[in-house]
Amino acid sequence: MTRKEALVDSIVAYLLEHGLADLSLRPLAAATGTSARLLIYHFESKEGLLTEILEAMQARLRQSFARLLEPQAGGKQPQPPLKLLWHWAIADANYPYFKLLYELQILAIQNPEAYAQYLQRNALNWSDLILSIIPAPRRDPAFATLCGAVFDGLFLELMGTGDRKRTTQALDRFIRIVGDARAFRADT
């Protein structure tokens, strides 16, 4: 592991504990055993640091989810992929990472000049992941966008209310609605 990779891990741990609300490079540097000057050296700016942290966290989460999707014994997935993604994301081990990602995403949306490239890559990466888990007959960019928007909305609702039961029931309802709509389409 390179020094920068170790630093990214330390920064992620710091952000998981402290969030972004009052992020300042000096306290971050002190907490991660480096200096603000070295953070700038490695990441060029606070925005560059956050962009790299976001990308590293998302890459790790996507890899983790891809491993979860690997064929199970018997070759059958026990639940719809979107539900599998939901349960994986809200699990105690993953929820703090997703919560931080949404916090970072909102920061990036508020400052699109600094984060424009990140925002576009992020949208494409998650759309690609969603497209890869949608069954082939339903696989199209508009449907992937709809699934991603439902997931985002429900996750933000979960963050705001803490109500896992209701948000999970809402996802189940969406999955049923999509399944019911497919049954009534003549071209399916």
Side-chain angles (χ1 to χ4, degrees):
M1 177 179 286
T2 68
R3 170 69 179 131
K4 188 172 181 180
E5 290 168 338
L7 195 52
V8 166
D9 288 345
S10 295
I11 293 168
V12 167
Y14 178 88
L15 293 176
L16 286 170
E17 183 178 342
H18 300 280
L20 288 174
D22 297 316
L23 182 64
S24 177
L25 290 183
R26 284 196 175 95
L28 174 64
T32 57
T34 190
S35 68
R37 196 183 82 207
L38 280 174
L39 288 177
I40 296 298
Y41 170 78
H42 284 295
F43 301 103
E44 297 182 14
S45 66
K46 182 177 172 181
E47 291 78 15
L49 178 143
L50 291 175
T51 296
E52 284 198 45
I53 297 303
L54 275 165
E55 289 175 354
M57 284 178 54
Q58 289 183 346
R60 292 173 190 171
L61 287 170
R62 284 190 302 273
Q63 290 168 356
S64 173
F65 186 69
R67 286 191 301 275
L68 184 66
L69 287 176
E70 290 173 358
Q72 306 295 315
K76 184 178 156 186
Q77 288 296 348
Q79 53 190 328
L82 190 58
K83 187 165 183 165
L84 187 65
L85 175 62
W86 177 257
H87 283 291
W88 170 80
I90 68 170
D92 290 342
N94 297 323
Y95 180 79
Y97 290 93
F98 272 88
K99 189 175 176 188
L100 180 59
L101 283 176
Y102 279 91
E103 188 178 356
L104 289 164
Q105 180 77 8
I106 290 166
L107 175 69
I109 289 168
Q110 291 173 338
N111 192 355
E113 301 81 31
Y115 297 102
Q117 289 182 348
Y118 161 76
L119 288 168
Q120 186 162 4
R121 276 194 314 271
N122 175 55
L124 291 174
N125 287 337
W126 285 105
S127 290
D128 288 347
L129 173 70
I130 293 168
L131 277 170
S132 75
I133 65 174
I134 295 173
R138 311 283 321 249
R139 198 172 290 154
D140 73 79
F143 187 63
T145 299
L146 175 61
C147 290
V150 167
F151 184 92
D152 287 345
L154 289 174
F155 201 88
L156 289 169
E157 178 71 13
L158 174 60
M159 286 172 51
T161 66
D163 192 339
R164 288 178 187 233
K165 181 179 179 184
R166 186 174 53 81
T167 52
T168 299
Q169 288 172 338
L171 181 74
D172 290 341
R173 174 83 48 95
F174 172 72
I175 292 168
R176 274 196 312 278
I177 289 168
V178 168
D180 290 346
R182 187 176 66 186
F184 290 104
R185 285 185 56 199
D187 61 340
T188 314

